[in-house]
Amino acid sequence: MALIAVVCAVIGTVTTVALRSHLYDQLDGQLDEVASRVSGPGPPGDPQGGGDKGPRRMDLDAFVTRGPQPRRTIVADVRDGVVIDAKYGRDSDESTDLSGMTAISLGAEQRAALAAVPRDGGAHTTGIPGLGDYRVEYRAGANGSYYAAVPTSGVTTTVNTLVLVEASVTAAGLVAASLAGTVIVGVATRPLRRVAATATRVSELPLHAGEVNLDERVPESECDPHTEVGRVGAALNRMLNHVHGALHARQESETRVRRFVADASHELRTPLASISGYAELTRRGGELVGPDTRHALGRIESEAGRMTLLVEDLLLLARLDAGRPLEFGRTDLVPLVVDTVSDARAAGLDHNWRLDLPDEPALVSADTARLQQVLVNLLGNARNHTPPGTTVTARVRTVGAWLCVDVEDNGQGIPAELLPHVFERFARGDSARSRTTGSTGLGLAIVQAVATAHGGGVTVGSVPGRTVFTLRLPALSEQESAPSRSQAQHSLTTRVRQES
Ligand SMILES: Nc1ncnc2c1ncn2[C@@H]1O[C@H](COP(=O)(O)OP(=O)(O)OP(=O)(O)O)[C@@H](O)[C@H]1O
Ligand SMILES: [Mg+2]
């Protein structure tokens, strides 16, 4: 459109300028003729013209009304450098003249405008008040000195008409081009849009994890190798085939690793149980053993216990990864939190334990055992990774459609470099690494996996003096919670809380 507009504008301008200059040339030719006719052949005193009687004066009235002069031609008689008379011919009804023209004298102002034109024998454009623009020329000849002037209105009208026609044609052309352009571009880019739509759908697929079904392909009709778009479509399809293959291979290898970890963990449980069982049996048996052996047996037992915990954690993670279904049931978070905090208090008497619970039941659909493990892990961290005297608060609150459990402590906080990775497997702080009691770095990974499997999530915010883990679970709606059960549970909760 812009290109067409520019081309039309250039053509229009060039045509207009050329036509105008041509018309002015013609007009100047006419002007020359008029000037020659009025001033006579040679300069004043020329023996060929007026002879020695001096210049003949032209009858201006007759000149402007008759003869081949263009309409409205002005002639002015100049004597001694002063315009003494000036006339132009005008159409007139009451004219007695055969040509139907009347000679009108110019006023003083109009004559002054004429007189201001340079007397160099060349044509000049000037405005005559009341009569419009004229081409004016001064000429001295055998008949004396004259100004001759012809109107430019004819040229102006022609040029204006041309500009109007050009503008209309350009506007119509632009409208037609825009309509045709829209239709043609729309049709031409339709295959490209289909390819783009396929690419967009693929980009919206969750490809980062799990079994990915990458079935999107560019339609066969848009894969014609003879067109550019077809080649793009075919290339995109080939790429999607590769990506699909790669994702499938990734998934297979992931599944294999997971199955291996799950199988290994499962298989390790029995020998571990045997090791700790035999160690305990030997320690408790009546046989006399030396202090070293007794110590060694104690170590075997405690390390076997630690390894059992690790294996259990690994097994649980492998099962959650494999998407093994949880045993969902209606669970009230309030008694669960009360119970786990009581247990934590029993294990950590040197910490201060606080509860902040709502009055109504906090019902979620969850696997109670897994949820309990999550709370135990969070409270265990607040106990194990903070110094004695730390206050730990467990809070249950409702946020929109979510139920949130906060475990907050005022310990030294999680190191800044560990914080972004704290939910990763085997991510541990230095303090946890150096501890002798079993700390594997799987606790928070399990918390996150369980929360995700419940359709919720877990977040952490930690600065020195305030660390909050927030577990978020979807709340059960009113309809889903039967009033009688919830009432019963609430009374139980109140009782538990009072005991606690
Ligand atoms: N409340 C907390 N205050 C300070 N540091 C914490 C807190 N909770 C977790 N951390 C840090 O985050 C690390 C990871 O915690 P995570 O529970 O995953 O592993 P762990 O407690 O070390 O081992 P595990 O729980 O498997 O026995 C911990 O080692 C500890 O450094
Ligand atoms: Mg932990």
Side-chain angles (χ1 to χ4, degrees):
M1 290 269 301
L3 198 61
I4 292 175
V6 168
V7 169
C8 286
V10 170
I11 292 177
T13 312
V14 171
T15 313
T16 310
V17 169
L19 180 75
R20 197 180 127 92
S21 112
H22 175 70
L23 290 178
Y24 266 92
D25 283 349
Q26 272 188 349
L27 198 64
D28 288 352
Q30 281 183 344
L31 182 61
D32 263 348
E33 280 173 26
V34 172
S36 309
R37 271 200 296 280
V38 71
S39 62
D46 185 345
Q48 302 260 302
D52 50 3
K53 286 178 236 139
R56 290 184 287 122
R57 303 315 302 189
M58 191 44 100
D59 176 359
L60 296 188
D61 283 18
F63 191 82
V64 297
T65 51
R66 281 190 220 132
Q69 277 66 252
R71 303 181 95 72
R72 301 170 75 84
T73 299
I74 297 177
V75 287
D77 196 347
V78 182
R79 260 177 239 178
D80 302 330
V82 180
V83 177
I84 56 158
D85 194 10
K87 294 267 168 73
Y88 77 98
R90 197 177 68 184
D91 293 323
S92 155
D93 291 342
E94 65 264 27
S95 161
T96 50
D97 220 299
L98 281 176
S99 65
M101 302 263 275
T102 321
I104 308 285
S105 289
L106 264 58
E109 200 188 341
Q110 294 167 326
R111 286 212 296 270
L114 270 185
V117 173
R119 294 168 187 180
D120 53 8
H124 301 273
T125 303
T126 190
I128 307 290
L131 294 178
D133 280 351
Y134 271 76
R135 282 298 268 182
V136 184
E137 187 178 320
Y138 175 81
R139 181 74 69 85
N143 296 346
S145 310
Y146 293 91
Y147 273 114
V150 288
T152 59
S153 55
V155 175
T156 315
T157 312
T158 310
V159 170
N160 285 349
T161 310
L162 177 73
V163 170
L164 192 69
V165 170
E166 279 170 352
S168 322
V169 171
T170 304
L174 286 180
V175 170
S178 69
L179 292 178
T182 310
V183 172
I184 292 169
V185 170
V187 169
T189 56
R190 195 187 301 150
L192 203 53
R193 282 203 302 277
R194 291 218 186 116
V195 174
T198 306
T200 310
R201 281 198 298 278
V202 170
S203 71
E204 282 161 0
L205 290 176
L207 301 180
H208 61 280
E211 184 70 72
V212 177
N213 228 353
L214 194 58
D215 289 338
E216 293 288 349
R217 291 291 181 281
V218 178
E220 210 48 54
S221 57
E222 309 304 346
C223 294
D224 179 4
H226 302 299
T227 64
E228 277 78 4
V229 176
R231 282 204 286 278
V232 172
L236 189 65
N237 277 356
R238 269 201 306 283
M239 191 185 83
L240 288 175
N241 285 340
H242 284 314
V243 172
H244 180 73
L247 289 176
H248 189 67
R250 178 197 74 182
Q251 182 59 24
E252 289 224 311
S253 108
E254 239 177 55
T255 313
R256 265 199 305 277
V257 171
R258 243 183 241 144
R259 197 173 306 134
F260 170 74
V261 173
D263 290 350
S265 316
H266 191 75
E267 293 303 320
L268 279 172
R269 287 209 295 189
T270 323
L272 274 174
S274 307
I275 291 172
S276 43
Y278 278 116
E280 189 180 352
L281 204 66
T282 316
R283 188 169 48 80
R284 288 200 183 159
E287 285 176 47
L288 273 177
V289 287
D292 286 353
T293 315
R294 187 169 293 278
H295 174 73
L297 284 173
R299 291 295 301 145
I300 290 174
E301 249 184 284
S302 74
E303 288 304 294
R306 182 176 158 190
M307 200 159 163
T308 307
L309 286 180
L310 171 61
V311 163
E312 293 288 345
D313 282 354
L314 280 176
L315 190 59
L316 175 62
L317 274 174
R319 283 180 174 163
L320 288 170
D321 280 348
R324 287 275 282 274
L326 298 166
E327 290 174 14
F328 282 102
R330 266 164 35 96
T331 310
D332 188 351
L333 286 177
V334 174
L336 202 62
V337 169
V338 170
D339 287 348
T340 43
V341 168
S342 321
D343 295 349
R345 172 187 286 148
L349 288 171
D350 48 1
H351 284 60
N352 304 318
W353 300 89
R354 299 264 154 79
L355 280 169
D356 180 356
L357 301 171
D359 292 330
E360 339 43 78
L363 290 174
V364 290
S365 168
D367 186 325
T368 313
R370 296 285 84 84
L371 215 53
Q372 181 166 18
Q373 189 170 358
V374 163
L375 293 174
V376 166
N377 283 358
L378 290 177
L379 292 168
N381 280 351
R383 188 185 74 235
N384 292 331
H385 304 299
T386 55
T390 304
T391 302
V392 183
T393 310
R395 184 180 307 116
V396 177
R397 62 199 167 94
T398 309
V399 181
W402 300 95
L403 276 174
C404 292
V405 183
D406 294 335
V407 177
E408 181 179 337
D409 67 67
N410 60 355
Q412 78 284 7
I414 302 172
E417 66 277 6
L418 175 65
L419 195 57
H421 313 286
V422 81
F423 293 109
E424 286 171 16
R425 288 162 200 197
F426 298 108
R428 285 179 293 173
D430 288 340
S431 61
R433 244 175 251 281
S434 56
R435 277 153 48 98
T436 45
T437 59
S439 168
T440 59
L442 287 178
L444 289 176
I446 289 177
V447 170
Q448 191 175 47
V450 171
T452 311
H454 280 84
V458 60
T459 52
V460 61
S462 179
V463 287
R466 185 168 187 267
T467 301
V468 195
F469 283 92
T470 303
L471 175 72
R472 193 162 38 86
L473 296 169
L476 274 185
S477 60
E478 286 297 323
Q479 297 94 323
E480 288 166 301
S481 35
S484 55
R485 277 272 311 266
S486 92
Q487 219 99 53
Q489 246 173 357
H490 189 224
S491 62
L492 171 88
T493 312
T494 325
R495 188 167 52 77
V496 171
R497 198 179 303 144
Q498 278 161 357
E499 277 173 17
S500 152

